[in-house]
Amino acid sequence: MEILLVEDRPEDVELTKLALMANGFKGKFHHVEDGQEAIDFLFDENNLELAHNLNLILLDINLPKLSGFEVLKRIKNSSLKHVPVVMLSTSAEKKDVTEAYSNYANSYTVKPVGFSDFQQLMSTLSEYWVEHNITPILS
Amino acid sequence: MKNWKAEILLVEDRHEDAYLTHFALEKSGYGNMINWVQDGQEALDYLLCSGAYAERDIIHPKLILMDLNMPKMNGLEALKLIKQNPKLSMIPVVMLTTSDQDVDRFQAYSDHVNSYIVKPVDSDKFKKVISDMGNYWIGYNVLID
């Protein structure tokens, strides 16, 4: 079980880690801080197998350097298109939601402002995508 | 965070499986939101308000739970048509199936399935999966209003 979080806000990174641990997540948690780092991580030839076997990419939309949408497009137009991508946003603006689904995001979520609501989202989300969702095995 | 106006379209040909899924959703509080259709063709008719559903108002469900093996039009064919149709492509489709075959999963993801769930045989695990699925897709996944 491996998750990649693409998130620039340190407090959101910590909360996501906490929620995963609270759910007994025993897999590997990878984290990169901006869109360019995400591309470098995912398309690094040395990481090929790891990238293909990711169970989930949690992708923030508002990122420095390269936006989440640009990263999403790259993923879904590549051999990594089978990896589930859940968008993390601060708003449910129609244009953002439309752009996400038009580019084949698997899901779109809005980060709640409060601590306990955020933790609840991450708990439900990680349990669903890590425990229940099945990805293709590309071996 | 539950949106009680949400609807779930359950596409399942086997009455017993439909009943079990319905029952599990009901236990999780989503019982009164389900529309049940019995094959891929009926799902498309429902979504496009055609055929037997010509009189239906176009209100898209928040989630489509799609079986794989069905008569007339199977789940993978229906998925493909839904994801190729710009009016329907943004509705999340979750494959809910007993098939754990690589080829089915690979095809489903190639045709942009949102999620793929293999039904647990154990009934308590099944209820847990269905409950978590409802909580996630109805409670947290965001769609265009």
Side-chain angles (χ1 to χ4, degrees):
Chain A
M1 292 290 171
E2 309 221 9
I3 291 181
L4 172 66
L5 172 66
V6 189
E7 173 66 76
D8 59 319
R9 289 163 52 102
E11 60 271 35
D12 288 356
V13 177
E14 283 312 306
L15 281 175
T16 306
K17 273 191 203 167
L18 281 175
L20 286 172
M21 279 192 289
N23 277 348
F25 177 70
K26 290 186 182 69
K28 273 198 183 152
F29 178 80
H30 307 273
H31 166 235
V32 291
E33 288 179 4
D34 65 54
Q36 188 55 52
E37 260 192 57
I39 297 292
D40 293 345
F41 178 90
L42 290 166
F43 297 98
D44 177 350
E45 281 188 14
N46 299 317
N47 272 349
L48 215 58
E49 195 182 334
L50 191 161
H52 276 89
N53 286 312
L54 283 170
N55 293 84
L56 179 63
I57 298 172
L58 284 171
L59 183 54
D60 187 29
I61 288 179
N62 298 309
L63 294 166
K65 293 184 191 168
L66 209 56
S67 82
F69 290 131
E70 292 306 315
V71 178
L72 173 68
K73 282 179 203 167
R74 279 291 300 277
I75 294 168
K76 294 298 181 182
N77 285 305
S78 76
S79 60
L80 294 178
K81 67 180 174 191
H82 303 96
V83 180
V85 178
V86 174
M87 305 305 289
L88 302 172
S89 177
T90 48
S91 86
E93 265 186 65
K94 190 176 173 182
K95 71 169 178 43
D96 287 346
V97 182
T98 305
E99 179 148 19
Y101 287 118
S102 303
N103 289 294
Y104 304 114
N106 295 69
S107 173
Y108 186 105
T109 57
V110 174
K111 292 185 269 189
V113 180
F115 174 85
S116 69
D117 287 344
F118 186 93
Q119 207 168 22
Q120 186 61 48
L121 162 69
M122 279 304 157
S123 169
T124 307
L125 186 155
S126 61
E127 182 142 21
Y128 179 80
W129 289 100
V130 175
E131 299 295 329
H132 303 324
N133 187 65
I134 308 278
T135 53
I137 296 164
L138 300 172
S139 54
Chain B
M1 279 214 47
K2 283 173 184 159
N3 179 353
W4 296 105
K5 287 182 197 158
E7 287 186 347
I8 298 169
L9 182 66
L10 174 63
V11 192
E12 171 67 74
D13 62 315
R14 289 164 54 106
H15 288 226
E16 196 189 329
D17 285 350
Y19 172 78
L20 288 173
T21 304
H22 198 291
F23 184 72
L25 284 166
E26 205 162 48
K27 284 274 175 201
S28 315
Y30 302 108
N32 57 355
M33 303 180 193
I34 307 162
N35 296 287
W36 174 36
V37 295
Q38 299 188 36
D39 61 63
Q41 183 57 56
E42 196 184 350
L44 263 298
D45 282 346
Y46 178 91
L47 293 167
L48 296 167
C49 301
S50 59
Y53 296 94
E55 301 294 315
R56 194 180 78 87
D57 289 336
I58 296 190
I59 302 168
H60 290 323
K62 298 254 173 184
L63 179 63
I64 300 172
L65 290 181
M66 182 86 78
D67 186 25
L68 206 63
N69 298 310
M70 293 179 291
K72 291 186 200 169
M73 186 194 291
N74 72 32
L76 289 172
E77 290 171 295
L79 167 70
K80 201 169 195 172
L81 291 173
I82 290 166
K83 293 299 178 184
Q84 282 173 351
N85 185 326
K87 286 180 186 155
L88 306 178
S89 63
M90 298 198 186
I91 308 171
V93 179
V94 175
M95 282 285 170
L96 185 63
T97 172
T98 49
S99 167
D100 194 15
Q101 291 189 38
D102 287 358
V103 62
D104 289 334
R105 285 186 302 198
F106 194 81
Q107 190 58 49
Y109 277 102
S110 294
D111 289 328
H112 308 296
V113 78
N114 295 74
S115 168
Y116 193 104
I117 303 280
V118 176
K119 289 184 207 176
V121 180
D122 178 85
S123 78
D124 285 342
K125 280 187 189 150
F126 178 72
K127 277 183 221 157
K128 166 88 173 126
V129 167
I130 294 291
S131 165
D132 287 352
M133 186 172 68
N135 290 341
Y136 179 74
W137 288 102
I138 305 300
Y140 287 110
N141 186 59
V142 175
L143 294 171
I144 298 154
D145 287 332

